[in-house]
Amino acid sequence: MENQKKSNIKKITLCGVMIALGTVLSMIKIDAPLGGGITLLSMVPVAFLSCMLGLKWGFGASLVYALAQLFLSIGDVLSWGLTPTAVVVCLLFDYLIPYFALGISGIFKSKGMWGVIAGVAIATTFRFACHYFTGVVIFDIWCPWANVYWYSLCYNGAYMLPEIILTCIGTALLVKTKAIQNMLKL
C-alpha cells in the first residue's frame, strides 16, 4: 500500500511538471496571419505522459492541461462578443475536448517509436478537427455570407497544419534519443 502511494505521488509530480512545461511552451509561439499560433512543441510533454503512464493518467493530465489552456484564454474568448451557444461551443471544442484528446497519444506506444509518433499525430489531428468545427460554428455567426467551411479550413489550417507537422517532427526527434526512449520505456 505504501509503495502504491509513493508511486502515485511520483506520477502526480511528473504530471505537474509536464503540464507546467507544456503550458510554458504554449506561451512561446509565432502568431499565424489569420489567428492562432504555432507553439514550441507545447503538446509533446502532455502527449508523452500518456505514453509513460498509460491512457488513464494521460487523459487525466490532458484534462488538467485543457483547463490550464482554457483559463489562460478565457478573457479573450469572452471578449469576442459571441452568443451563449457559440461560447459553449468554443469552450468545448477549442479548449476542453481538443486538449483532453492529447491523452490518446499513448494508444500505440506498444508499437515503439512509430507508435508514439502515430499516437501524437492522431491526437493533434483530432485537435485540428475540433478547431475546424468551432470555426464553422463561429464564422457562421460572424460572416454568414461566406463559405464557413472553407474559411474555417484556411483559418485553422494556417496554424494547426504547421503545429501538427512540427509536433510530429519534434516527437520523432525526441523519441530517437536514448533518454526519451528510457523515459517512455521503448
Side-chain angles (χ1 to χ4, degrees):
M1 188 65 148
E2 188 66 30
N3 286 340
Q4 182 63 32
K5 280 184 181 180
K6 285 182 182 179
S7 176
N8 284 342
I9 290 171
K10 286 180 181 179
K11 289 177 182 178
I12 291 168
T13 303
L14 180 61
C15 287
V17 169
M18 296 296 260
I19 292 166
L21 177 59
T23 302
V24 169
L25 290 173
S26 76
M27 295 177 191
I28 303 169
K29 64 181 174 181
I30 298 169
D31 291 327
L34 299 174
I38 303 160
T39 67
L40 183 61
L41 305 177
S42 64
M43 295 179 282
V44 173
V46 178
F48 278 1
L49 283 171
S50 181
C51 297
M52 292 172 11
L53 304 176
L55 295 179
K56 183 175 96 171
W57 281 90
F59 278 117
S62 294
L63 177 61
V64 174
Y65 183 68
L67 291 171
Q69 293 301 310
L70 174 63
F71 290 136
L72 287 171
S73 301
I74 191 74
D76 290 337
V77 172
L78 296 178
S79 72
W80 294 341
L82 302 174
T83 65
T85 302
V87 169
V88 170
V89 167
C90 187
L91 295 179
L92 287 175
F93 289 94
D94 258 357
Y95 294 96
L96 296 177
I97 295 171
Y99 290 110
F100 177 71
L102 291 176
I104 196 107
S105 296
I107 195 164
F108 299 122
K109 180 203 168 199
S110 64
K111 306 292 185 200
M113 179 180 83
W114 292 108
V116 172
I117 296 166
V120 169
I122 290 168
T124 55
T125 302
F126 182 78
R127 179 180 163 206
F128 167 73
C130 288
H131 293 308
Y132 174 79
F133 174 75
T134 302
V136 169
V137 171
I138 302 289
F139 299 133
D140 191 46
I141 293 167
W142 282 347
C143 50
W145 60 88
N147 181 334
V148 294
Y149 302 102
W150 179 249
Y151 192 82
S152 183
L153 181 66
C154 292
Y155 175 89
N156 290 297
Y159 74 94
M160 278 306 302
L161 184 58
E163 181 86 3
I164 291 167
I165 292 168
L166 290 173
T167 300
C168 290
I169 290 171
T171 298
L173 293 173
L174 287 169
V175 170
K176 286 184 177 185
T177 66
K178 204 60 159 165
I180 299 296
Q181 288 176 359
N182 290 339
M183 188 174 76
L184 298 178
K185 296 180 180 124
L186 294 178

